[in-house]
Amino acid sequence: SQQGEEDPQALSIQEGENATMNCSYKTSINNLQWYRQNSGRGLVHLILIRSNEREKHSGRLRVTLDTSKKSSSLLITASRAADTASYFCATDSGAGKSTFGDGTTLTVKP
Amino acid sequence: DGGITQSPKYLFRKEGQNVTLSCEQNLNHDAMYWYRQDPGQGLRLIYYSQIVNDFQKGDIAEGYSVSREKKESFPLTVTSAQKNPTAFYLCASSTTGVLSDTQYFGPGTRLTVL
């Protein structure tokens, strides 16, 4: 079973709006990472947040982590058409492995 | 340029044939990974290797085999025993096999069984 599950499955917004996607997981983690995948390409790492951190920023990205609720959110502010992609969360699942969810597909309309 | 490369980009196979997907990295990373991605879904781990000459099964290893004879290379063979091999295959590497490491991904190989 998947450790991380993203929500919503798909999100469509206008350029300039903010996009929020969520990730829930089942067991305790040491860290959680967010990745982006453009269609037909490999994944690109966006940000890592550790279990003792609550919030982290990187440019227009803001990630929060609530370990009590076993959830994380990724906020993209002032979205651009180039942000159109699928976004995945990944949690460590032991023995050097990461477990990925099914992703949120974001479409930003110009 | 440093990075991780996969070849070929597209691969077609007849049923019953084995095929080998290439993955090479020049990042001096100890750990390497193979994932399978089906349409609209996330990544599922096939095999991973934390050090040369050692590798571990992931969640869906049946019908696949790997080798790790060199630090830079981690080829994946899709055997005829894999019943539904058509998928997008992604290779990744990380500095070590430590859980907190960022993984760097190659561009992927799309395998189609005819």
Side-chain angles (χ1 to χ4, degrees), chain B:
Chain B
D1 286 340
I4 181 165
T5 59
Q6 292 183 242
S7 62
K9 184 169 183 171
Y10 298 97
L11 187 57
F12 298 90
R13 184 194 103 173
K14 293 182 180 179
E15 282 192 28
Q17 288 182 336
N18 293 354
V19 288
T20 298
L21 282 60
S22 169
C23 178
E24 303 278 333
Q25 54 98 0
N26 61 2
L27 300 168
N28 200 32
H29 286 172
D30 285 321
M32 298 186 74
Y33 311 81
W34 273 107
Y35 294 92
R36 170 184 171 135
Q37 186 178 33
D38 292 286
Q41 297 186 25
L43 279 63
R44 291 186 289 168
L45 183 65
I46 305 172
Y47 269 98
Y48 63 105
S49 168
Q50 295 177 291
I51 197 168
V52 175
N53 292 322
D54 187 47
F55 49 83
Q56 309 293 331
K57 291 182 179 180
D59 301 317
I60 55 165
E62 185 174 353
Y64 300 97
S65 66
V66 294
S67 63
R68 187 85 189 278
E69 297 175 1
K70 298 188 298 182
K71 188 175 186 178
E72 308 80 39
S73 179
F74 191 40
L76 173 74
T77 296
V78 184
T79 74
S80 56
Q82 170 50 237
K83 298 305 177 190
N84 185 22
T86 294
F88 189 49
Y89 290 87
L90 287 161
C91 180
S93 69
S94 63
T95 308
T96 68
V98 174
L99 303 175
S100 58
D101 275 353
T102 296
Q103 294 187 29
Y104 296 83
F105 284 81
T109 291
R110 190 167 299 279
L111 172 64
T112 302
V113 174
L114 304 173

